[in-house]
Amino acid sequence: VDRSLETVAGTARLLDDLIRLAESMYGVGKAGQQEIFQAQVERSKMEEMRIGLEQKRRTLVATLNTLAYRPPETAIPQIPKTSLPPFSFSSAELESLALAHRPALKSLKAKIDKAEAGAQLAEKELYPDFTVSLEYMQREPAMDTPGDDMYGAQLSFNLPIQSDRRHAKIAEMQASKRMAVQELAVLQNQIRLAINDGLAQLERSRKLTRLYDKGILLQAGGAIESAMAAYRTDKAKFSEVLASRMALFNFEREYHGAMAEHQMQLAVLENVVGTPLPPAP
């Protein structure tokens, strides 16, 4: 939105110049009054767009402040211009980051370990538990007794006769483990899909950004200069000059949109892997 506001302001200034040019050409009889009106209409559209973008920015500022637990009216400075950051992560590298950092994966792995430990504990209940105890008591001689010390030993064990209940407990723990394993597999597949889709979207936005930056914007700028030169020598219509200027305006907004989409897709990938992406070399 900040970049679009800059583009709108720059286009509005150029349209003001075109209006003055059309008025001067009209004054010497080389242009019609309708050309002035055409430029004024486009200038009014820029003002309308500026009002809409400023309202949108206020809404975004309030949303961002709310997410950051700040008062909605807290000012956020203009976002500086950015360039495409280097990116060299493969799907396998991103998947490894997700396996190491994604909290949901760690939770499911802990659930599997818990179910496995529960099954092992339930299996042990199928066997009897033995308890062995030893006792010793020292006695002093008294009266006619010699006071021999006393020794005792005891062996006790339980009989797990309710095997059905214990087998059911084992089956329950094993089912819980299988369910957690399947949930883990599903989540891993979803992560792989999200990573590959994110990489495809990221590559698309990177290619579009480069295409606009290195090709379309330069070509559109050249078209404006050519149309202006032709208009000054009565070899082109004012509508052609205006159309070329508005085409460049649309290309500039699409370029900023592709750049914003690239940055947002990076954030989506960070959400998928569960950690900020380290800077690429």
Side-chain angles (χ1 to χ4, degrees), residues 2 18 30-31 36 40-42 45 62 92 120 125-127 137 141-142 145 152 162 166 169-170 193 204 211 229 272:
D2 284 343
L18 286 178
K30 292 185 177 181
I36 301 175
Q40 290 174 340
V41 168
E42 295 298 335
K45 288 181 179 179
Q120 292 175 355
E125 294 184 1
L126 292 173
Y127 304 97
M137 184 172 65
T145 59
Q162 296 178 342
R166 291 173 168 81
K169 184 65 174 179
I170 294 173
L193 173 61
R204 171 184 173 275
L211 178 62
V272 171

Side-chain angles (χ1 to χ4, degrees), residues 218-232 241 244-245 248:
L218 296 176
Q219 295 162 1
I224 289 179
E225 294 178 0
S226 177
M228 285 290 295
Y231 178 68
R232 292 180 184 278
V241 177
S244 61
R245 175 57 248 181
L248 178 58

Side-chain angles (χ1 to χ4, degrees), residues 202-268:
L202 194 67
E203 182 64 20
R204 171 184 173 275
S205 60
R206 290 180 74 87
K207 287 182 177 179
L208 279 177
T209 302
R210 292 195 184 103
L211 178 62
Y212 281 113
D213 188 32
K214 304 298 182 182
I216 294 178
L217 293 179
L218 296 176
Q219 295 162 1
I224 289 179
E225 294 178 0
S226 177
M228 285 290 295
Y231 178 68
R232 292 180 184 278
T233 57
D234 294 332
K235 294 181 180 179
K237 297 180 180 179
F238 183 80
S239 58
E240 296 174 355
V241 177
L242 194 59
S244 61
R245 175 57 248 181
M246 300 315 299
L248 178 58
F249 167 76
N250 291 326
F251 289 144
E252 287 174 342
R253 293 201 66 197
E254 290 170 4
Y255 164 74
H256 297 313
M259 178 68 77
E261 179 65 28
H262 179 273
Q263 299 301 93
M264 288 187 287
Q265 200 58 51
L266 279 178
V268 169

Side-chain angles (χ1 to χ4, degrees), residues 3-279:
R3 298 290 80 73
S4 293
L5 282 168
E6 291 177 354
T7 301
V8 166
T11 302
R13 289 192 296 270
L14 291 174
L15 286 173
D16 290 337
D17 293 338
L18 286 178
I19 291 173
R20 287 191 289 270
L21 175 61
E23 289 173 345
S24 63
M25 298 292 283
Y26 173 72
V28 296
K30 292 185 177 181
Q33 195 174 19
Q34 72 275 7
E35 296 178 348
I36 301 175
F37 292 149
Q38 288 176 354
Q40 290 174 340
V41 168
E42 295 298 335
R43 178 63 175 82
S44 298
K45 288 181 179 179
M46 290 298 103
E47 184 64 19
E48 178 187 18
M49 191 172 296
R50 182 189 64 80
I51 295 171
L53 287 170
E54 288 179 346
Q55 181 275 325
K56 184 177 181 180
R57 192 183 196 280
R58 286 194 297 269
T59 301
L60 290 172
V61 166
T63 302
L64 184 57
N65 282 326
T66 302
L67 291 172
Y69 202 65
R70 295 192 298 252
E73 65 276 6
T74 302
I76 293 180
Q78 188 181 57
I79 306 300
K81 292 183 178 180
T82 60
S83 57
L84 283 179
F87 186 87
S88 59
F89 293 99
S90 64
S91 59
E93 291 171 333
L94 292 175
E95 185 177 346
S96 297
L97 285 174
L99 293 176
H101 297 93
R102 185 72 180 266
L105 290 174
K106 294 181 179 180
S107 174
L108 286 174
K109 289 177 181 178
K111 190 176 180 180
I112 292 173
D113 294 339
K114 178 182 177 181
E116 186 175 357
Q120 292 175 355
L121 184 61
E123 289 175 353
K124 291 182 179 180
E125 294 184 1
L126 292 173
Y127 304 97
D129 290 332
F130 292 90
T131 302
V132 179
S133 62
L134 296 174
E135 296 180 355
Y136 165 73
M137 184 172 65
Q138 185 180 15
R139 295 196 305 177
E140 299 292 338
M143 311 257 326
D144 295 333
T145 59
D148 295 332
D149 294 343
M150 294 180 62
Y151 299 90
Q154 181 179 346
L155 173 65
S156 63
F157 59 90
N158 67 328
L159 293 176
I161 57 176
Q162 296 178 342
S163 60
D164 291 342
R165 180 179 63 83
R166 291 173 168 81
H167 282 296
K169 184 65 174 179
I170 294 173
E172 179 186 355
M173 292 294 100
Q174 291 175 342
S176 297
K177 179 182 177 181
R178 289 194 299 269
M179 183 171 65
V181 169
Q182 293 301 321
E183 289 177 357
L184 179 62
V186 169
L187 181 57
Q188 287 174 336
N189 284 333
Q190 291 175 344
I191 289 174
R192 293 189 189 99
L193 173 61
I195 286 175
N196 283 276
D197 179 66
L199 287 175
Q201 297 289 345
L202 194 67
E203 182 64 20
R204 171 184 173 275
S205 60
R206 290 180 74 87
K207 287 182 177 179
L208 279 177
T209 302
R210 292 195 184 103
L211 178 62
Y212 281 113
D213 188 32
K214 304 298 182 182
I216 294 178
L217 293 179
L218 296 176
Q219 295 162 1
I224 289 179
E225 294 178 0
S226 177
M228 285 290 295
Y231 178 68
R232 292 180 184 278
T233 57
D234 294 332
K235 294 181 180 179
K237 297 180 180 179
F238 183 80
S239 58
E240 296 174 355
V241 177
L242 194 59
S244 61
R245 175 57 248 181
M246 300 315 299
L248 178 58
F249 167 76
N250 291 326
F251 289 144
E252 287 174 342
R253 293 201 66 197
E254 290 170 4
Y255 164 74
H256 297 313
M259 178 68 77
E261 179 65 28
H262 179 273
Q263 299 301 93
M264 288 187 287
Q265 200 58 51
L266 279 178
V268 169
L269 280 176
E270 289 185 342
N271 180 60
V272 171
V273 301
T275 181
L277 296 177

